């Protein structure tokens, strides 16, 4: 039996290098391929825990609008109903997504492979950042209720939490959406809860070394603040040319709800900084003025900033303390 040959060129497939026309033809065939034969890989990055933007490529290939809710089916036959909302021209997984993240302990760098099964249902396979499949999504738990019961409960939960309310309390209209979802309670991760016991809070993706935690705790204890102190480790997005700083959603919801600007104090000097609001993620960010603070104080990647909200000020003011990267190593 002879070697397989390329149907376009007639050459041995091992000798045939795809040309641009061949690639375009393949892309054309793929675009018109049955949706149920397509796979999509999505990398968990950014602030994915509370809501995930559906990649445009996935939306485009599915040829049509995604409905108000979809069903994700894992390899261990668990079904999860997730609400979908349109926000700033993007489709976002909302109600039910954070529970999905918690159920499978999704972390930064994890990946999910989506396969469309039709009828707004996707099969998903979840991998950790090393490329190993997560056992939580593959192994059947004998103590869980039958599949049909879990599906019914999940559907009822989304309907109750995202599409109906007698009095409208706790509901939020999503921009560009024709329906309303209930505002989610800001959940703290287990690490954030541990940090709160020591008097401070970080973002979900902040990871402190043991040395850094010890330095932070010592500094916190010397400050004696009644309000939890926000601790941030400076990364590239915090110090580059278009830098900003994001507050944890739980902290912002409680202490910065109505603020549009605040004042940072350090060593007797003061900087006015604007506070921008991302209502879809319940976030507050420091924008205009933050870059000047970074430059004036020569902040570097790895530096740790502690923000103490001063309760005795008539305007929103924070005292800032810096632990330099060389000091915390």
């Amino acid at each position: 039996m002879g070697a397989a040959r390329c149907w376009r060129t007639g050459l041995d497939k091992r000798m045939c290098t795809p040309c641009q026309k061949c690639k375009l033809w393949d892309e054309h065939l793929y675009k018109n391929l049955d949706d149920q034969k397509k796979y999509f890989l999505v990398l968990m990055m950014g602030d994915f825990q509370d809501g995930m933007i559906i990649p445009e490529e996935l939306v485009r290939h599915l040829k049509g609008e995604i409905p108000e809710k979809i069903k994700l089916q894992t390899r261990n036959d668990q079904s999860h109903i997730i609400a979908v909302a349109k926000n700033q021209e993007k489709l976002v997984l909302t109600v039910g997504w954070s529970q999905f993240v918690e159920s499978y302990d999704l972390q930064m760098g994890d990946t999910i492979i989506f396969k469309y099964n039709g009828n707004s249902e996707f099969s998903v396979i979840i991998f950790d950042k090393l490329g190993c499949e997560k056992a939580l999504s593959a192994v059947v738990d004998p103590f869980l209720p039958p599949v049909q019961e879990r599906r019914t409960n999940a559907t009822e939960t989304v309907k109750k939490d995202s599409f109906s309310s007698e009095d409208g309390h706790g509901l939020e209209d999503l921009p560009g959406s024709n329906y309303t979802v209930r505002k989610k309670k800001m959940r703290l991760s287990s690490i954030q809860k541990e940090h709160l016991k020591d008097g401070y809070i970080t973002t979900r993706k902040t990871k402190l070394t043991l040395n850094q935690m010890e330095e932070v705790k010592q500094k916190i204890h010397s400050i004696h603040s009644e309000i939890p102190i926000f601790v941030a480790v400076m990364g590239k997005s915090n110090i580059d040319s278009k830098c900003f700083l994001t507050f944890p959603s739980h902290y912002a919801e409680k202490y910065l709800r109505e603020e549009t600007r605040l004042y940072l104090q350090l060593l007797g000097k003061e900087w006015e900084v604007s506070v921008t609001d991302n209502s879809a993620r319940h976030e507050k960010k420091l924008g205009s003025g933050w870059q000047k603070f970074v430059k004036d104080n020569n902040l570097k990647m790895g530096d740790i900033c502690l923000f103490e909200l001063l309760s005795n000020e008539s305007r929103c003011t924070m005292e800032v303390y810096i632990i330099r990267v060389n000091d915390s190593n």
Side-chain angles (χ1 to χ4, degrees):
M1 185 174 179
R5 295 184 175 276
C6 174
W7 66 273
R8 302 181 188 88
T9 64
L11 298 175
D12 186 330
K13 276 193 173 182
R14 293 170 296 183
M15 305 290 292
C16 181
T17 301
C19 65
Q20 187 61 28
K21 288 185 178 179
C22 293
K23 291 179 181 178
L24 291 174
W25 179 248
D26 284 340
E27 290 175 3
H28 170 74
L29 293 178
Y30 180 79
K31 184 177 180 180
N32 291 278
L33 189 67
D34 185 352
D35 290 339
Q36 299 183 33
K37 296 181 181 179
K38 297 174 181 176
Y39 294 81
F40 301 91
L41 185 145
V42 179
L43 174 67
M44 298 299 103
M45 57 190 297
D47 298 326
F48 69 88
Q49 294 93 344
D50 296 322
M52 190 194 84
I53 297 176
I54 302 175
E56 292 182 5
E57 191 73 8
L58 193 157
V59 176
R60 183 167 61 85
H61 279 308
L62 291 180
K63 293 179 290 190
E65 294 185 5
I66 290 182
E68 293 180 345
K69 56 187 177 182
I70 64 173
K71 179 161 59 181
L72 302 183
Q73 177 109 14
T74 54
R75 288 221 306 131
N76 55 1
D77 291 328
Q78 291 198 57
S79 296
H80 301 264
I81 306 297
I82 316 289
V84 181
K86 191 173 184 180
N87 184 30
Q88 298 179 354
E89 303 305 318
K90 302 286 186 181
L91 291 178
V92 184
L93 298 183
T94 57
V95 177
W97 173 252
S98 60
Q99 290 88 341
F100 183 84
V101 169
E102 291 178 7
S103 296
Y104 301 107
D105 190 28
L106 290 181
Q107 303 291 329
M108 184 80 70
D110 289 352
T111 52
I112 302 178
I113 291 179
F114 291 80
K115 178 181 179 294
Y116 187 55
N117 299 327
N119 297 322
S120 307
E121 179 179 322
F122 292 82
S123 293
V124 295
I125 305 177
I126 304 173
F127 298 88
D128 63 23
K129 60 184 178 182
L130 297 178
C132 300
E133 185 175 4
K134 288 204 164 189
L136 282 172
S137 65
V139 178
V140 177
D141 189 336
F143 298 103
L144 286 174
V147 173
Q148 185 59 44
E149 182 179 342
R150 292 201 303 276
R151 288 178 178 173
T152 302
N153 290 343
T155 303
E156 289 174 352
T157 298
V158 171
K159 285 181 179 178
K160 178 173 65 177
D161 286 350
S162 59
F163 305 115
S164 65
S165 174
E166 293 182 0
D167 56 13
H169 289 305
L171 294 176
E172 175 185 23
D173 292 316
L174 288 173
S177 175
N178 59 356
Y179 69 98
T180 304
V181 298
R182 183 179 297 276
K183 283 186 178 180
K184 295 173 290 182
K185 181 180 180 181
M186 297 298 103
R187 289 186 175 86
L188 294 174
S189 68
S190 57
I191 294 177
Q192 286 176 310
K193 290 176 182 177
E194 287 299 315
H195 289 169
L196 269 180
K197 293 178 182 178
D198 292 315
Y200 67 98
I201 188 170
T202 61
T203 62
R204 278 176 171 265
K205 54 187 179 181
T206 298
K207 307 231 183 271
L208 298 174
T209 66
L210 292 176
N211 286 341
Q212 287 174 330
M213 281 192 284
E214 193 57 38
E215 288 265 9
V216 167
K217 283 194 284 188
Q218 289 179 11
K219 193 68 177 177
I220 297 282
H221 292 160
S222 69
I223 296 172
H224 303 295
S225 175
E226 295 180 359
I227 300 174
I229 290 174
F230 170 45
V231 175
V233 181
M234 296 297 99
K236 184 178 180 182
S237 63
N238 307 131
I239 61 173
D240 64 11
S241 58
K242 297 181 180 180
C243 58
F244 60 89
L245 181 70
T246 303
F247 288 97
S249 53
H250 182 274
Y251 182 93
E253 187 79 6
K254 188 168 184 178
Y255 299 109
L256 304 174
R257 183 186 293 268
E258 304 298 332
E259 303 301 335
T260 58
R261 64 184 61 253
L262 58 78
Y263 298 86
L264 303 179
Q265 295 181 349
L266 176 63
L267 300 177
K269 296 182 180 180
E270 186 175 83
W271 292 260
E272 181 179 348
V273 184
S274 68
V275 180
T276 59
D277 183 29
N278 184 342
S279 58
R281 293 183 181 272
H282 307 279
E283 289 178 346
K284 293 281 189 178
K285 293 183 179 180
L286 296 185
S288 176
W290 169 249
Q291 185 175 3
K292 179 170 175 54
F293 179 86
V294 169
K295 183 178 180 180
D296 290 351
N297 294 286
N298 195 30
L299 289 181
K300 305 291 186 185
M301 284 186 63
D303 285 346
I304 302 174
C305 291
L306 292 78
F307 297 83
E308 177 194 8
L309 183 61
L310 303 181
S311 56
N312 59 348
E313 295 285 332
S314 58
R315 59 187 185 177
C316 187
T317 305
M318 288 182 158
E319 189 73 31
V320 184
Y321 307 85
I322 301 175
I323 301 175
R324 299 293 179 180
V325 61
N326 294 332
D327 298 335
S328 58
N329 290 331

